[in-house]
Amino acid sequence: MTRETWATRTGFILAAAGSAVGLGNIWRFPWMTAENGGSAFLAVYLLVILGVGVPGLLGEFVIGRRSGRNPVGALRDLSGSRYWGIVGAVSALTGVALLSFYSVVGGWILRYLLVSVVGPVTGGAPYLAAPGPYFDRVSFGAEAALFHLGFLAVTGGIVLGGVRRGIELGTKVMVPAVLVLLLGMAGWVVTEPGAAAGYEFFLEFDLTTLRANAASVLAPAAGQALFTLSVGAGTMVTYASYIGEDRSLPFDGSVIALLNTGVGVLAGLVVFPLLFSQGIDPGTGGPGALFVGIAGAFAALPGGDLLAIVFFGVVTLAALSSSISMLEIPVAVLVDEGGWSRRRAVGVLLALIALTGTATAFVPTLFDFVAGMLADLLLTGGLLAFLLFAGWVLGPDAIEEYVTGAGSVATRFATPWLFAIGVIIPVFLVFTLLTTAGVDARIGVWPTVAAAVALVALALVGLARGATWRGTRR
């Protein structure tokens, strides 16, 4: 079976950017920013994107293009070890886990879009009159499960079309549409009274707040960066495996990160001024803030019905551009490793995720666990494994792949990049895992840093022994 490739470079960039430009930016980013200090969180988040996200993205690109395979085949074939193949298989499970809660949120979005569209005919969208009670009623239960299935069906239909006719074609429409619509809304909201307070909360750099909260902000900022860039789940390994020609991976990765970050900042420039203009506290509501806070703002604005259609239309497109990438990971594994047809792989996986997603739609505590701790652990652990693999298993081959197609400027950073993904970033990722577990609160920040260094050193010793063992076997 001939393996598919991207038709154009633009298609690859938009597909990868579409994976990143999703609910992580428009749904999760604003409330994470609000709960973690506003501009202080934004500053740390941007630093993590630049220092961790972009190098990590390139690490996954190198593995994917070098192997031309999904995460399972890539790690197994490039290492010659079936154990690395098992590590890659976790990526496929990560995609299933992510979609198990993401499709529920996608169902919320789809529902809000549909009731917004029919609102002018039925006398107004029901959430406009009572945003909080309405969200509480529809967020979990049978209706939430039904809309989860509808959102999942749309996702499966796009992935079923394949790389070129499904994913590439869909994201070529969705990503530009999201950017244009968000730009339009950002231009409109600036005219609203009280919007300046929202800009101040989101953009005004406060060094005092940042110093006081840097440690507590670091873990959520890192988790948000990994979630929005779609690194750690094998998505970028899979997407890079479809590249059919030599391209500059540093250039493509930088463009994708820029698009992703731009959408996140644009979402903040829409959401926060809109909330402040209506006197709504952006720090309340948690995961439901987008639905409760924004819906309440639309209810108080002239032409709110029309604005709601535009806004939830944007969020629906963004949600789909990410959900198709999550489904494509396990689909690629079944097609490449199991020899399944794309139709069979999509059908079986949709049936599986329909069950797991329905469970999260009925059990809020399960939803919170999957969307929170489990997702963070899988993404952080996945990126850690990919970077250690690229830095210490591929090693010089990773640099060779990095410089292929790259310009002279990007080539100069090849060796520093390899050191960063092999040593510095793994220490950072382990540190964030430890702080998420509350280790820093018990033993202090610097002892936690020392513990992260020690754990990474042990991992590197294990990798060195594994390489020696494989060399002896050969």
Side-chain angles (χ1 to χ4, degrees):
M1 182 185 297
T2 302
R3 202 168 190 270
E4 293 186 89
T5 59
W6 303 110
T8 63
R9 180 177 194 168
T10 301
F12 163 64
I13 290 176
L14 289 179
S19 174
V21 175
L23 289 180
N25 277 306
I26 301 178
W27 165 62
R28 198 172 189 261
F29 180 71
W31 65 263
M32 288 292 291
T33 302
E35 289 185 348
N36 292 280
S39 60
F41 177 86
L42 177 63
V44 176
Y45 168 77
L46 293 176
L47 289 174
V48 174
I49 286 285
L50 180 63
V52 178
V54 175
L57 192 65
L58 293 177
E60 292 200 26
F61 278 176
V62 161
I63 295 171
R65 189 172 71 174
R66 187 77 175 181
S67 64
R69 300 189 67 80
N70 61 80
V72 175
L75 298 190
R76 182 195 61 227
D77 293 352
L78 291 175
S79 67
S81 168
R82 64 185 178 90
Y83 295 108
W84 273 110
I86 295 173
V87 173
V90 176
S91 297
L93 297 177
T94 299
V96 173
L98 293 177
L99 261 182
S100 296
F101 83 87
Y102 196 94
S103 59
V104 175
V105 182
W108 297 345
I109 298 290
L110 189 61
R111 183 192 190 106
Y112 272 69
L113 176 61
L114 292 177
V115 299
S116 297
V117 170
V118 302
V121 179
T122 59
Y127 61 79
L128 294 175
Y134 181 82
F135 180 74
D136 290 340
R137 181 174 66 82
V138 305
S139 54
F140 294 100
E143 293 183 5
L146 181 64
F147 277 93
H148 137 70
L149 295 175
F151 180 83
L152 194 60
V154 177
T155 300
I158 297 172
V159 174
L160 187 60
V163 174
R164 293 191 179 188
R165 292 184 295 109
I167 299 172
E168 184 170 352
L169 182 61
T171 51
K172 277 184 175 180
V173 174
M174 288 185 283
V175 174
V178 169
L179 289 171
V180 170
L181 291 172
L182 275 179
L183 282 169
M185 293 195 70
W188 165 80
V189 78
V190 72
T191 64
E192 289 300 300
Y199 296 127
E200 181 179 347
F201 174 80
F202 184 48
L203 299 175
E204 184 177 7
F205 183 70
D206 185 350
L207 184 58
T208 302
T209 301
L210 182 59
R211 285 175 175 172
N213 299 282
S216 61
V217 168
L218 186 60
Q224 176 65 18
L226 301 189
F227 188 83
T228 59
L229 278 177
S230 289
V231 291
T235 302
M236 296 307 176
V237 173
T238 304
Y239 274 19
S241 73
Y242 296 132
I243 298 177
E245 57 186 82
D246 293 341
R247 297 169 185 167
S248 173
L249 295 182
F251 176 81
D252 289 355
S254 299
V255 171
I256 291 163
L258 182 62
L259 281 172
N260 169 73
T261 306
V263 169
V265 173
L266 268 176
L269 292 176
V270 171
V271 172
F272 292 118
L274 190 58
L275 293 177
F276 273 87
S277 71
Q278 302 303 314
I280 298 173
D281 183 0
T284 59
L290 177 71
F291 304 93
V292 178
I294 294 297
F298 287 145
L301 290 170
D305 287 350
L306 178 60
L307 292 171
I309 294 173
V310 174
F311 181 79
F312 287 115
V314 172
V315 182
T316 299
L317 292 175
L320 285 170
S321 67
S322 287
S323 64
I324 59 179
S325 70
M326 297 176 190
L327 182 58
E328 179 63 20
I329 304 167
V331 165
V333 170
L334 293 177
V335 170
D336 292 346
E337 306 303 318
W340 290 25
S341 68
R342 177 169 285 269
R343 179 178 296 276
R344 181 187 177 195
V346 170
V348 170
L349 287 168
L350 286 182
L352 173 61
I353 300 168
L355 292 175
T356 57
T358 297
T360 62
F362 273 97
V363 185
T365 54
L366 179 61
F367 175 92
D368 292 340
F369 169 72
V370 177
M373 182 179 292
L374 182 61
D376 287 345
L377 287 174
L378 288 173
L379 291 175
T380 305
L383 181 60
L384 179 64
F386 287 134
L387 295 189
L388 289 175
F389 182 89
W392 295 95
V393 178
L394 289 183
D397 289 340
I399 289 185
E400 179 182 332
E401 195 64 38
Y402 172 98
V403 301
T404 300
S408 58
V409 175
T411 299
R412 294 172 188 169
F413 291 95
T415 300
W417 165 78
L418 188 66
F419 178 75
I421 67 168
V423 178
I424 298 176
I425 297 177
V427 170
F428 173 83
L429 293 175
V430 173
F431 175 77
T432 60
L433 286 174
L434 294 176
T435 56
T436 301
V439 174
D440 60 316
R442 292 191 292 271
I443 67 174
V445 173
W446 289 111
T448 305
V449 172
V453 171
L455 289 172
V456 171
L458 287 174
L460 298 185
V461 170
L463 287 172
R465 289 180 176 177
T468 303
W469 181 83
R470 287 193 299 273
T472 303
R473 292 273 294 182
R474 284 195 290 266

